[in-house]
Amino acid sequence: MEESICSRATGSECLADQLERPSQDDRAYRVIRLQNDLEALLIHDPDTDKASAALDVDAGSFSDEPSLPGMAHAVEHLLFMGTEKYPGENDYNSYLASHSGYSNAFTSETHTNFFFEVASRGDHSGSAEERSNPGPLFGALDRFAQFFIAPLFLEETLDRELKAVDSENKKNLQNDHWRLRQLIKSLSNPQHPYCFFSTGNLQTLRDDPVARGVRIRDEFMRFHREQYSANRMKLAVLGRESLDTLQEWVETLFSPVHNKKLSQNRWDGLPISTGQELGTVAFAKPVMDSRFLQLRFEYRDEDSLHETQPGHYLSHLIGHEGPGSLLAYLKGKGWANDLSAAPENVCPGSGLFHIGVGLTPEGLKNYEQVVKTAFNYLAILHETPPQEWVFDELKRMAEVDFRYKQKGPASSTTCSLSQTMQKPLPRNRLLSGGRVLRKFDAKAIAEGASLLKVENLRLILVSNDAITGETKREKWYGTEYSVRKLSKDFCNDLKRAEMAPATARPAELHMPHKNEFIPYRLEVEKRAPLEPLKAPSLIRNDEAVRLWYKKDDQFWVPKANVRVHLRNPVCASTPRTLAMACLFVELVQDHLNEYSYDAEIAGLAHNIRSSSSGIHIWVSGYTDKLAVLLEKLLLTMRDLDIKNERFDIVKERLVRIYHNSEYESPYHQIDQYASWLASEKSWISEFVLAELRNISVSELRAFHHILVKKFHSEALVQGNLHRQDAQKLMALLEDTLKPQALPASQWPIQRSFVFPRGSNFLYERELKDPSNVNHCIDYFLMIGDLKDRALHAKLQIFEQMTEEAAFDQLRTKEQLGYVVFSGAVNYITTSAYHVLVQSEKPPGYLETRIDAFLRSFKKDLADMTPETFESHKRSVINKRLQKLQNLNEECSRFWAQITSDYYNFEQRYDDVTHIKSLTKEDLLSFYNYYIDPSSESRSKLSIHLLARSSPEKVAQDMSPADRVETLASLFGGILTATGVDAHTEALCTKLREANVEEGNVSKIVEAAATYLKDDTDASAQQTLQITDQVERTLPTVLPQIGIQTRAEDHSNPTNEATVIQDVQSWKASLALGVGATPVRDLSLYEDLDPKL
């Protein structure tokens, strides 16, 4: 037997090669430490079709210089911008994209994590040729390693990436999660880095330090030099290659990382909150309509207590939702909608414990009583010794969950494990350490509970009506807030509540009962076929039920998925019926909550939701008690007793959800408008909200009976269940609900509108949030019917070719905004290509830049080599044939086909057949017909969400100097994209001389040409290209900055978009497409029981 590298003298130390792992985990693992003290976890997965690596650095925003907030985050961005070995700023990402891959990174308080995923090696895996002919993983690792060896921090990319950081920050300025998180941080101990502003912006990373004379590039390089050390790095690599090969690669590529022998970053003895911050309540005003109370306790860092996890025990009891729980009592009083509890290991040496309560309007009025009740529950924990049976339940479920843990995506695996490696775990427990509980430690639990006391408490109350006293604004996000000390009387009340005996506490509060849902029957019948089936079988198909079934034949876990579609056209026939259906399912969930919480803890999940075609139910998890939970859900649907008080609370909560959706980030809002415009039966939030507000309890009670009386059931049962089990589950549904069968002639037909060839439509909406500075555009090119898989194959290739190119051009080079997406999307029965950008720049300008990108791509496509074209085809094929990782992925894939009404279970294989035969000439024809901005046959819909509503309003807010600077900034993006440096002051001078206020397009274009001649080294070809783009852009951009163009300058009126003013009339003018129907006769899938 060949000796492994781990046991030979290679210079690396083997720390572990026998890791605790799940029962079905067929991967091989090895943990090594290189000579430079970099630690690596190597993972050999012989069957993976994706390879990945992640590297976690023990340095995050807590390591920022106080005078340079966001420093660690900026360095994370800048490492992508070229290295000495691979100096091209897009070398890394373009390499990954060409091999079906992608990358990402994030900066947390104490760590910075970088990761990528790429196609795994296909041929020669494990052979001698593997070392002489390494595949995509080796090339990706080589480029990746250089981030930590010799990054360039290129001066020419510095400003652009800092703008990307700034744009990322602005994306979050109206996000309550970020705003409240920073407020809490800012109100913490100023001596602890927890108080830092971690994201950074242009002010903190460029403008302020430059004004102080700081050479910012030198500071970023110094941070990398002083904080990025090999001994602070944990690397995880997953590939198809053998462990020995992976070790050779890691040793070769990562040994040059310099070891500065730095100690671990720790903050021992430094409290997050001191006596100055403790004993206070902060009142904060959110952007959205929300009410939230948080109790924050100064706690401890429990990373070293991974065997006992006392915080897990405490959070389980405090956050319990079953009978006797804190939440059950608060809901019974009408004070709360939800509750959470969790410890947080903030950093080595510091920890917090949170109890969060979502308040009702009555709960807001009585928030002090809510806090007292929480301390009443804590009194139970102080009074009752830690219960071993409670710990044993948690231990049992942790063991079961780990034993039957299924594989996840390669990048999720490496990213998660590289972070886990930073924890003080035995190396053979890297997979199990944080997941498995091992020892009951009553003393540690009691010590943790003793920290949950009044002296360690801070309160945060979030509501639009909560602020009292002097109002302040948080420095970085502008959140309105006030702070005051908790009164002495209130603190004394809390202390009494904390020490209250059982007779002085609400009788409804008590410890939970034993969990009857914990699974014990975990047998798996393993009969592996030669090859897993590609589709489920149709085992029942009649006027009442269509039942699909597939026995698990590849994952071998004691779990199953049951998904049911109760097909009923009444659900979304109007916005009002949709509102009532949504309210009904919310009430069902609310009613089930206490009962189902034990099931959730025991690995059983459920959901019920409404859609345009009916009600969807799913139950999934361990099969032992799955049928019990499904029966309870069905009984609740049938017998729901809609009580007035819960109706009012749930309705108010749902109204807030719909209201708040209109204050989400623009790029989260915009998709609903595309669905609404492209689909026959689709409603936007404002329509549903308007109806929801005036629905009465009596109306909903009447609707409830209509909803469950008549429908057609279609279901998928998949996993560790037998055929007869599936049939029994459907019999359970029929026997419980006893519905009338809905005839097929009444089933909803799914179809989209057909956009005329050569059409160009524009739909504009003004954002509701007056403080959001971001516009958003979603630019759609309608392609064709989803059944045309040959056409869809071309779209997939085009998506692959342009995805990285669009991101690099529109975000990295032109800096249009932090949020840039492109690719293929489907709307019911129609496929489309879209580009989405969220930006401070006006949508009209963004549209011209998207046009410019698509126009320029024609040359890229024409010049593409055969090798590059084939590489793109391989990347798409790899993506289409990507292996399923777990039972849920397979279920989702099948269910998507069933609910689409296409039932194209072999779709990915059909796509591959079409892709293999495509030529570059096919793609050029596709581009010329569907994509080219000059095409007379392309169909376009552009949706603009406007942060500012009209040129008149813009004109009122902008001075002539502001307009010149804005125009110069927009032109600068065009210049940079063309490879010409933009000198802002010189460009502004030329624009002022052109008197841009006149709106004379010709004079402004002439000014741009003069600037290019006098102030740059632009070639004649570049000058022609830039002035052409400027001329195309101006008629759109000038009105959006308050300048009206002269009529004679509108050179292309025939290409102007048709603005959609009246959506109903516009829809009436469109033809409906063909409805979705099965691509194959369903009888081909039938495996029916014989009729007697």
Side-chain angles (χ1 to χ4, degrees):
M1 182 177 180
E2 184 183 356
E3 182 185 27
S4 76
I5 287 181
C6 195
S7 60
R8 301 202 306 262
T10 64
S12 296
E13 177 186 1
C14 182
L15 303 180
D17 58 4
Q18 296 297 319
L19 274 65
E20 292 181 350
R21 59 185 183 178
S23 60
Q24 297 301 316
D25 188 348
D26 59 356
R27 294 164 170 164
Y29 298 88
R30 181 183 298 164
V31 186
I32 62 173
R33 182 185 292 122
L34 305 187
Q35 286 187 313
N36 61 359
D37 284 340
L38 184 149
E39 197 172 299
L41 169 61
L42 313 174
I43 308 170
H44 163 59
D45 187 338
D47 299 319
T48 188
D49 48 17
K50 289 290 185 181
S52 176
L55 189 143
D56 195 87
V57 186
D58 178 33
S61 62
F62 280 11
S63 300
D64 285 350
E65 290 289 338
S67 60
L68 276 169
M71 194 176 193
H73 185 207
V75 169
E76 171 224 306
H77 274 250
L78 290 163
L79 292 190
F80 285 81
M81 294 294 106
T83 61
E84 288 182 9
K85 185 172 182 180
Y86 298 100
E89 64 183 67
N90 200 41
D91 280 351
Y92 173 63
N93 280 326
S94 61
Y95 176 86
L96 296 178
S98 68
H99 295 286
S100 309
Y102 72 96
S103 70
N104 211 335
F106 59 87
T107 304
S108 67
E109 282 86 352
T110 58
H111 302 282
T112 307
N113 192 279
F114 303 83
F115 61 93
F116 70 80
E117 187 170 286
V118 72
S120 69
R121 179 83 184 277
D123 300 330
H124 319 300
S125 182
S127 69
E129 188 173 349
E130 175 182 75
R131 296 169 185 168
S132 60
N133 184 27
L137 176 57
F138 182 85
L141 282 172
D142 188 17
R143 289 158 176 80
F144 187 55
Q146 295 303 311
F147 283 26
F148 315 104
I149 298 170
L152 291 175
F153 291 93
L154 292 168
E155 191 80 55
E156 57 268 30
T157 67
L158 192 63
D159 199 55
R160 276 193 277 125
E161 280 310 299
L162 294 185
K163 286 179 179 177
V165 171
D166 188 67
S167 180
E168 182 177 354
N169 178 60
K170 285 176 177 173
K171 170 181 70 73
N172 299 324
L173 286 179
Q174 293 301 106
N175 183 302
D176 277 332
H177 169 77
W178 287 89
R179 291 165 67 87
L180 298 172
R181 176 174 173 269
Q182 186 59 49
L183 174 63
I184 293 166
K185 285 157 60 78
S186 296
L187 294 176
S188 299
N189 179 5
Q191 302 305 311
H192 196 294
Y194 186 75
C195 73
F196 286 179
F197 170 48
S198 56
T199 307
N201 58 28
L202 274 181
Q203 176 190 342
T204 67
L205 294 169
R206 186 191 68 182
D207 299 347
D208 287 354
V210 168
R212 298 194 303 266
V214 175
R215 294 176 59 86
I216 53 175
R217 177 172 180 267
D218 292 348
E219 291 301 304
F220 296 140
M221 294 175 72
R222 181 178 63 80
F223 183 93
H224 186 274
R225 187 168 60 249
E226 294 181 358
Q227 296 290 342
Y228 278 51
S229 173
N231 72 313
R232 281 186 173 177
M233 296 179 182
K234 308 297 180 185
L235 172 69
V237 181
L238 184 155
R240 189 189 295 264
E241 293 79 6
S242 68
L243 289 176
D244 289 352
T245 298
L246 293 175
Q247 182 167 337
E248 277 191 20
W249 289 358
V250 167
E251 289 172 337
T252 299
L253 299 173
F254 288 88
S255 290
V257 178
H258 188 41
N259 183 8
K260 289 108 178 183
K261 301 184 185 301
L262 301 177
S263 60
Q264 182 195 30
N265 280 313
R266 294 194 63 87
W267 291 268
D268 296 298
L270 189 59
I272 292 173
S273 300
T274 67
Q276 185 70 26
E277 296 85 31
L278 294 172
T280 62
V281 56
F283 302 94
K285 184 176 182 179
V287 171
M288 295 189 178
D289 184 7
S290 59
R291 293 178 299 273
F292 186 76
L293 172 68
Q294 189 173 78
L295 291 73
R296 295 171 63 87
F297 296 91
E298 194 77 8
Y299 196 61
R300 63 187 178 186
D301 167 20
E302 292 190 337
D303 265 349
S304 61
L305 304 178
H306 52 85
E307 290 192 331
T308 58
Q309 300 182 39
H312 184 20
Y313 176 98
L314 295 171
S315 63
H316 166 70
L317 293 177
I318 299 169
H320 208 282
E321 298 179 13
S325 67
L326 175 57
L327 177 61
Y329 177 81
L330 295 175
K331 286 180 71 173
K333 298 288 287 186
W335 291 346
N337 287 312
D338 52 75
L339 183 146
S340 62
E344 178 188 359
N345 292 329
V346 174
C347 61
S350 302
L352 295 168
F353 196 100
H354 314 274
I355 302 175
V357 185
L359 298 173
T360 65
E362 285 301 308
L364 179 63
K365 295 175 187 176
N366 293 280
Y367 83 90
E368 290 188 342
Q369 282 299 123
V370 173
V371 179
K372 289 178 187 178
T373 307
F375 274 90
N376 276 151
Y377 195 87
L378 292 177
I380 298 175
L381 302 187
H382 297 321
E383 175 186 278
T384 309
Q387 301 293 296
E388 190 163 5
W389 72 265
V390 174
F391 180 85
D392 286 343
E393 284 192 348
L394 296 174
K395 182 173 180 285
R396 164 70 179 176
M397 278 315 306
E399 289 170 347
V400 170
D401 286 341
F402 179 70
R403 179 182 174 188
Y404 295 108
K405 183 179 181 294
Q406 299 172 77
K407 289 182 181 180
S411 58
S412 297
T413 300
T414 57
C415 179
S416 173
L417 287 172
S418 65
Q419 296 173 76
T420 301
M421 292 170 73
Q422 297 285 6
K423 298 182 182 298
L425 290 166
R427 300 295 91 173
N428 68 327
R429 294 182 180 175
L430 287 176
L431 305 181
S432 62
R435 297 178 179 274
V436 176
L437 287 80
R438 299 173 192 275
K439 297 177 183 176
F440 174 62
D441 190 337
K443 181 181 176 183
I445 293 170
E447 288 173 347
S450 72
L451 297 172
L452 307 182
K453 59 185 179 180
V454 178
E455 291 79 5
N456 283 341
L457 175 68
R458 288 174 64 191
L459 295 178
I460 295 90
L461 185 62
V462 178
S463 168
N464 284 307
D465 306 314
I467 296 181
T468 62
E470 180 188 357
T471 301
K472 301 178 182 178
R473 283 192 178 270
E474 191 275 323
K475 179 178 180 179
W476 302 110
Y477 288 81
T479 304
E480 288 186 60
Y481 75 97
S482 64
V483 181
R484 65 169 171 81
K485 278 284 187 180
L486 298 175
S487 72
K488 187 175 181 179
D489 288 345
F490 182 54
C491 289
N492 288 334
D493 286 346
L494 295 183
K495 289 177 182 178
R496 282 191 289 271
E498 181 185 353
M499 303 303 294
T503 55
R505 300 191 300 259
E508 297 90 337
L509 294 177
H510 55 79
M511 293 282 282
H513 53 67
K514 292 191 176 182
N515 190 343
E516 301 298 329
F517 276 97
I518 290 179
Y520 290 94
R521 292 189 299 119
L522 299 168
E523 300 81 12
V524 176
E525 182 183 30
K526 188 172 181 178
R527 294 181 182 175
L530 294 176
E531 185 178 335
L533 296 175
K534 296 177 181 178
S537 299
L538 186 55
I539 63 172
R540 180 177 168 187
N541 190 14
D542 54 45
E543 67 280 358
V545 171
R546 187 178 282 166
L547 175 59
W548 298 88
Y549 166 74
K550 181 175 184 289
K551 176 78 170 67
D552 177 27
D553 57 6
Q554 56 183 316
F555 302 111
W556 316 122
V557 290
K559 296 182 177 183
N561 290 289
V562 178
R563 300 206 178 187
V564 185
H565 177 201
L566 306 182
R567 193 178 272 111
N568 188 338
V570 75
C571 275
S573 58
T574 68
R576 192 169 189 82
T577 59
L578 177 58
M580 286 193 286
C582 291
L583 189 49
F584 169 75
V585 299
E586 286 290 318
L587 283 160
V588 170
Q589 294 278 39
D590 181 73
H591 188 86
L592 270 174
N593 191 65
E594 275 191 43
Y595 176 87
S596 65
Y597 187 73
D598 276 349
E600 182 182 330
I601 292 171
L604 277 174
H606 77 282
N607 192 25
I608 174 173
R609 68 175 182 85
S610 60
S611 75
S612 60
S613 58
I615 299 293
H616 294 259
I617 299 167
W618 65 263
V619 179
S620 64
Y622 297 105
T623 52
D624 189 8
K625 309 287 195 327
L626 185 145
V628 177
L629 181 58
L630 176 61
E631 182 178 22
K632 181 64 175 179
L633 193 158
L634 295 171
L635 286 169
T636 304
M637 288 179 61
R638 186 191 72 188
D639 301 332
L640 182 66
D641 181 11
I642 306 175
K643 298 184 182 298
N644 290 3
E645 59 274 16
R646 288 313 298 172
F647 172 84
D648 291 339
I649 288 171
V650 172
K651 175 184 167 182
E652 188 276 337
R653 185 175 70 207
L654 193 58
V655 165
R656 281 191 295 115
I657 290 171
Y658 273 98
H659 170 79
N660 289 339
S661 70
E662 298 181 330
Y663 288 78
E664 292 275 7
S665 295
Y667 77 99
H668 284 141
Q669 294 185 48
I670 203 164
D671 182 61
Q672 67 167 326
Y673 297 108
S675 298
W676 176 45
L677 295 170
S679 308
E680 181 185 15
K681 289 287 185 183
S682 180
W683 312 112
I684 55 177
S685 295
E686 70 175 57
F687 295 170
V688 181
L689 179 60
E691 299 292 344
L692 188 60
R693 292 186 193 277
N694 56 35
I695 292 172
S696 68
V697 66
S698 58
E699 185 180 9
L700 187 64
R701 286 172 182 150
F703 182 75
H704 168 208
H705 295 296
I706 296 172
L707 197 59
V708 298
K709 182 179 181 181
K710 187 176 184 178
F711 53 79
H712 175 267
S713 303
E714 183 153 24
L716 168 67
V717 177
Q718 169 248 12
N720 187 46
L721 289 170
H722 291 287
R723 177 191 180 103
Q724 57 267 37
D725 297 323
Q727 292 166 331
K728 287 177 182 178
L729 289 172
M730 282 310 300
L732 174 65
L733 184 146
E734 291 183 284
D735 292 343
T736 304
L737 297 181
K738 293 182 170 58
Q740 296 177 20
L742 182 75
S745 60
Q746 296 178 31
W747 294 3
I749 298 173
Q750 300 192 68
R751 52 185 174 182
S752 308
F753 287 109
V754 176
F755 287 60
R757 285 290 146 209
S759 59
N760 181 11
F761 297 115
L762 169 64
Y763 182 71
E764 296 181 317
R765 296 278 297 201
E766 184 178 355
L767 290 170
K768 293 285 181 70
D769 184 356
S771 301
N772 200 313
V773 299
N774 291 300
H775 305 278
C776 190
I777 179 175
D778 213 348
Y779 175 116
F780 292 90
L781 300 177
M782 301 301 176
I783 304 302
D785 192 296
L786 278 175
K787 270 192 175 180
D788 188 343
R789 301 312 297 178
L791 181 60
H792 196 69
K794 296 172 188 175
L795 174 59
Q796 291 176 80
I797 294 290
F798 187 77
E799 173 188 43
Q800 161 67 24
M801 291 174 170
T802 56
E803 185 174 20
E804 176 59 31
F807 186 87
D808 182 54
Q809 182 68 33
L810 302 176
R811 178 183 152 177
T812 305
K813 289 189 171 68
E814 298 195 35
Q815 287 294 303
L816 297 183
Y818 182 76
V819 178
V820 175
F821 301 126
S822 67
V825 290
N826 299 332
Y827 286 104
I828 312 297
T829 55
T830 300
S831 63
Y833 176 81
H834 85 130
V835 181
L836 182 151
V837 181
Q838 179 175 289
S839 173
E840 291 181 81
K841 296 176 174 64
Y845 173 73
L846 300 175
E847 187 148 341
T848 65
R849 300 316 304 147
I850 296 169
D851 277 339
F853 164 72
L854 294 175
R855 195 176 291 111
S856 68
F857 190 76
K858 183 173 187 176
K859 184 176 187 304
D860 296 339
L861 181 56
D863 294 344
M864 189 175 291
T865 65
E867 293 78 16
T868 301
F869 183 80
E870 289 301 316
S871 173
H872 283 303
K873 286 172 60 176
R874 282 195 302 272
S875 290
V876 178
I877 290 171
N878 286 339
K879 290 176 184 176
R880 297 305 291 146
L881 296 182
Q882 187 170 339
K883 290 183 178 179
L884 294 162
Q885 296 292 318
N886 52 60
L887 202 64
N888 288 342
E889 281 190 13
E890 181 184 63
C891 179
S892 296
R893 181 178 289 177
F894 290 159
W895 192 240
Q897 287 300 331
I898 290 168
T899 55
S900 74
D901 288 344
Y902 283 120
Y903 303 91
N904 193 0
F905 301 112
E906 290 83 24
Q907 177 178 301
R908 56 187 181 137
Y909 306 105
D910 295 343
D911 287 349
V912 168
T913 300
H914 289 296
I915 289 165
K916 285 181 177 179
S917 64
L918 289 178
T919 65
K920 192 172 86 169
E921 288 66 33
D922 293 330
L923 263 293
L924 279 168
S925 298
F926 173 84
Y927 171 89
N928 290 332
Y929 190 86
Y930 295 100
I931 307 294
D932 190 342
S934 63
S935 169
E936 295 183 356
S937 55
R938 80 169 189 166
S939 302
K940 176 183 163 193
L941 168 65
S942 189
I943 302 171
H944 296 180
L945 294 189
L946 305 170
R948 294 172 178 171
S949 59
S950 70
E952 290 75 19
K953 291 183 180 178
V954 174
Q956 292 171 6
D957 296 336
M958 297 182 74
S959 67
D962 290 336
R963 294 192 185 99
V964 167
E965 290 182 10
T966 301
L967 204 55
S969 174
L970 298 177
F971 286 0
I974 296 175
L975 295 169
T976 303
T978 318
V980 177
D981 291 337
H983 307 292
T984 304
E985 187 50 47
L987 187 51
C988 284
T989 298
K990 292 294 192 294
L991 291 173
R992 280 192 290 270
E993 292 171 357
N995 194 8
V996 297
E997 293 290 314
E998 293 180 356
N1000 189 318
V1001 173
S1002 299
K1003 285 180 67 175
I1004 298 172
V1005 172
E1006 186 179 340
T1010 303
Y1011 163 79
L1012 291 168
K1013 178 182 177 183
D1014 296 347
D1015 300 286
T1016 73
D1017 296 325
S1019 65
Q1021 182 178 357
Q1022 286 174 317
T1023 298
L1024 184 63
Q1025 183 179 352
I1026 291 168
T1027 53
D1028 177 62
Q1029 290 192 37
V1030 167
E1031 187 170 11
R1032 290 174 181 271
T1033 300
L1034 284 170
T1036 302
V1037 169
L1038 290 177
Q1040 297 197 8
I1041 61 171
I1043 300 173
Q1044 296 301 326
T1045 57
R1046 286 166 35 172
E1048 60 268 26
D1049 290 315
H1050 290 274
S1051 55
N1052 191 18
T1054 59
N1055 200 36
E1056 290 182 359
T1058 300
V1059 180
I1060 302 170
Q1061 302 285 1
D1062 180 341
V1063 173
Q1064 189 69 10
S1065 297
W1066 174 75
K1067 281 188 172 184
S1069 71
L1070 300 177
L1072 278 169
V1074 176
T1077 55
V1079 297
R1080 294 175 178 84
D1081 193 313
L1082 295 188
S1083 64
L1084 297 173
Y1085 301 105
E1086 287 185 343
D1087 182 14
L1088 307 178
D1089 289 336
K1091 294 183 179 179
L1092 299 178

